[in-house]
Amino acid sequence: MTQSYDFSTDAIRSGYQRTEEGENSEAIFATSSFVFENAAQAADRFTNNAPGNVYSRFTNPTVRAFERRLAALEGGEACVATSSGMAAIMACCVALLEPGDHVVASSGLFGSTLQFFKKYLTRMGNPVDFAKIDQPSDWQSKINSRTRLLFVETPSNPLTQLADVKALASIAHENNAILVVDNCFCTPALQRPLELGADIVIHSATKFIDGQGRCVGGAVVGDSKRVGENVYGFLRTAGPTMSAFNAWVFLKGLETLEIRMQRHCQSAGEIAHWLQAHPAVDQVYYPGLTDHPQHQLCLEQQSDFGGVVSFEVKGAKEQAWSVIDNTRMLSITANLGDAKSTITHPATTTHGRLSDSDRAEAGITPSLLRVAVGLESVADIKRDLSRGLDLILSDR
Ligand SMILES: *Cc1c(COP(=O)(O)O)cnc(C)c1O
């Protein structure tokens, strides 16, 4: 893989080695194990003295093609594919942290990530503190002599606050720690954290990489030592492995990622501006709006503004729920990154298990809605949201 292509080309052509069958589309290697020419070759492969396939927990050609392609798109030396986004976060933490190492993470993380940090990572001997995503000084103040890992998701869900990745990378490196960025919301089509100084990128491939809501999967991308040896070594032993079929779906997803992200962003931008002008809407959260507090930072570190728009309707929970219940097309689900637009009421779903005060601190109000804008006609999405929004006006 010495030839270097542009992003769009790598997304379609990199990472795969065509077999002697001459297939144009990548093959699914649905086999759990691989056979050897003779006993000596088996011995060499098992002891890592010779490259080659052994067993699909840690060597599968379809999975490897997905890993190489995603590594190329993120600009990383190595990628390890995992059975889910959460498995990627677990593998990264377990493989890279020593007992006693301290973690600082952004508050307002994906719910299961937050649970994993609070309930399990802490129990494994890795205390976690939380910092305000948009305030590097707050991260600095949470660091102690045992801090080895900073973890951030940017933009945040659902309020689309950004972390300054360059600033957090400097803070991490000045303190002998690494910066891990969950790049699920942007994908490498919009943001490449490794180029901004981050050490590791995490993906939930379940979202935009799949792009059509079919499979669950994840990935860790980074350098050949931490990811290629340490995370890979953990995966080989502990086995949170991606299946060949799922890898194939994600491989195909990457081929159309850039063009899909362009459409997600364009439609989300149109919806955000339309909502901002709607009399039933109080506040819109979208980094593409010039009054977003980090609009400028977004222009610097992302190539576009993303596909997720959150907004507060005039009123409270009742009005927010009425917007949801008056949709006929949008999917009422918390998933995102799908061709199908989805609508969620964060306060009673993704953030429903938080205490009232934690929820208020996270800025999740009862009137907040989140729309992950899909690939349908923008006019149809607006019409679907209009029914509930117009009712709010007529009820007043
Ligand atoms: C969905 C998601 C995850 C977890 O991924 P799974 O594939 O569901 O395990 C992690 N981080 C973010 C930001 C997500 O949206």
Side-chain angles (χ1 to χ4, degrees):
M1 292 229 304
T2 42
Q3 165 120 37
S4 150
Y5 288 119
D6 291 338
F7 186 93
S8 325
T9 310
D10 270 339
I12 293 168
R13 297 209 171 255
S14 71
Y16 185 71
Q17 193 159 6
R18 188 173 289 148
T19 76
E20 69 268 26
E21 301 294 346
E23 71 281 6
N24 190 31
S25 177
E26 297 77 355
I28 306 177
F29 284 87
T31 175
S32 47
S33 73
F34 297 83
V35 294
F36 308 107
E37 304 273 336
N38 48 48
Q41 189 186 50
D44 280 345
R45 290 214 185 149
F46 264 89
T47 50
N48 274 342
N49 284 332
N53 300 313
V54 178
Y55 184 58
S56 282
R57 184 183 336 110
F58 57 99
T59 48
N60 179 281
T62 313
V63 176
R64 191 180 310 123
F66 168 70
E67 292 172 334
R68 287 186 174 163
R69 190 169 292 180
L70 185 59
L73 299 182
E74 286 286 4
E77 294 169 355
C79 171
V80 170
T82 55
S83 54
S84 68
M86 290 317 303
I89 293 171
M90 173 193 68
C92 175
C93 291
V94 175
L96 300 179
L97 292 170
E98 299 287 338
D101 285 354
H102 172 246
V103 174
V104 183
S106 49
S107 49
L109 289 172
F110 179 69
S112 297
T113 309
L114 190 64
Q115 281 288 103
F116 172 67
F117 283 174
K118 285 191 167 170
K119 196 166 167 188
Y120 297 101
L121 201 55
T122 307
R123 198 161 82 192
M124 292 189 284
N126 299 114
V128 186
D129 280 307
F130 296 92
K132 295 199 172 69
I133 184 167
D134 55 344
Q135 292 175 25
S137 60
D138 195 37
W139 290 75
Q140 184 69 61
S141 75
K142 297 281 159 54
I143 285 178
N144 65 43
S145 62
R146 294 302 309 267
T147 306
R148 289 294 164 269
L149 193 151
L150 310 191
F151 188 100
V152 71
E153 228 175 271
T154 180
S156 73
N157 176 28
L159 294 178
T160 72
Q161 284 180 298
L162 269 69
D164 184 335
V165 176
K166 276 187 189 162
L168 293 188
S170 306
I171 291 173
H173 299 153
E174 280 159 18
N175 291 281
N176 191 25
I178 58 170
L179 175 64
V180 179
V181 176
D182 181 333
N183 201 25
C184 166
F185 271 63
C186 279
T187 82
L190 305 187
Q191 169 171 273
R192 283 188 282 285
L194 300 177
E195 286 171 8
L196 297 167
D199 302 283
I200 307 261
V201 167
I202 298 283
H203 273 291
S204 167
T206 316
K207 314 293 167 54
F208 290 103
I209 290 180
D210 177 313
Q212 295 179 55
R214 296 161 291 192
C215 293
V216 174
V220 186
V221 189
D223 61 272
S224 49
K225 175 94 184 100
R226 288 190 194 93
V227 176
E229 289 180 27
N230 297 342
V231 177
Y232 179 68
F234 173 78
L235 175 105
R236 174 178 181 149
T237 307
T241 305
M242 178 180 284
S243 76
F245 177 78
N246 287 6
W248 181 80
V249 171
F250 298 137
L251 200 54
K252 295 317 223 179
L254 288 177
E255 293 185 4
T256 56
L257 178 67
E258 190 180 39
I259 192 168
R260 284 188 287 108
M261 290 312 287
Q262 284 167 3
R263 174 68 176 262
H264 281 295
C265 292
Q266 188 197 329
S267 298
E270 284 180 41
I271 301 278
H273 283 100
W274 172 75
L275 286 169
Q276 202 173 34
H278 198 291
V281 173
D282 255 344
Q283 169 88 38
V284 183
Y285 301 91
Y286 185 67
L289 299 174
T290 49
D291 66 355
H292 186 285
Q294 293 156 304
H295 180 65
Q296 195 54 42
L297 173 63
C298 196
L299 286 170
E300 288 161 25
Q301 79 181 18
Q302 297 180 200
S303 62
D304 208 331
F305 304 114
V308 177
V309 181
S310 294
F311 58 102
E312 277 153 5
V313 297
K314 289 211 163 83
K317 183 184 111 173
E318 189 195 338
Q319 284 71 24
W321 276 22
S322 157
V323 173
I324 293 182
D325 291 342
N326 280 287
T327 60
R328 292 174 196 163
M329 177 185 83
L330 265 57
S331 305
I332 306 172
T333 170
N335 196 27
L336 62 99
D338 197 313
K340 298 184 172 79
S341 296
T342 67
I343 187 163
T344 316
H345 184 245
T348 51
T349 58
T350 53
H351 294 69
R353 283 184 294 171
L354 296 186
S355 69
D356 287 351
S357 65
D358 281 355
R359 202 179 307 116
E361 221 217 331
I364 314 293
T365 63
S367 66
L368 184 75
L369 290 168
R370 188 196 77 186
V371 175
V373 179
L375 305 179
E376 307 98 333
S377 136
V378 181
D380 283 331
I381 300 170
K382 287 182 189 168
R383 264 194 289 275
D384 213 41
L385 290 168
S386 283
R387 266 187 303 275
L389 289 172
D390 293 346
L391 272 181
I392 294 177
L393 295 177
S394 61
D395 282 350
R396 296 188 131 231

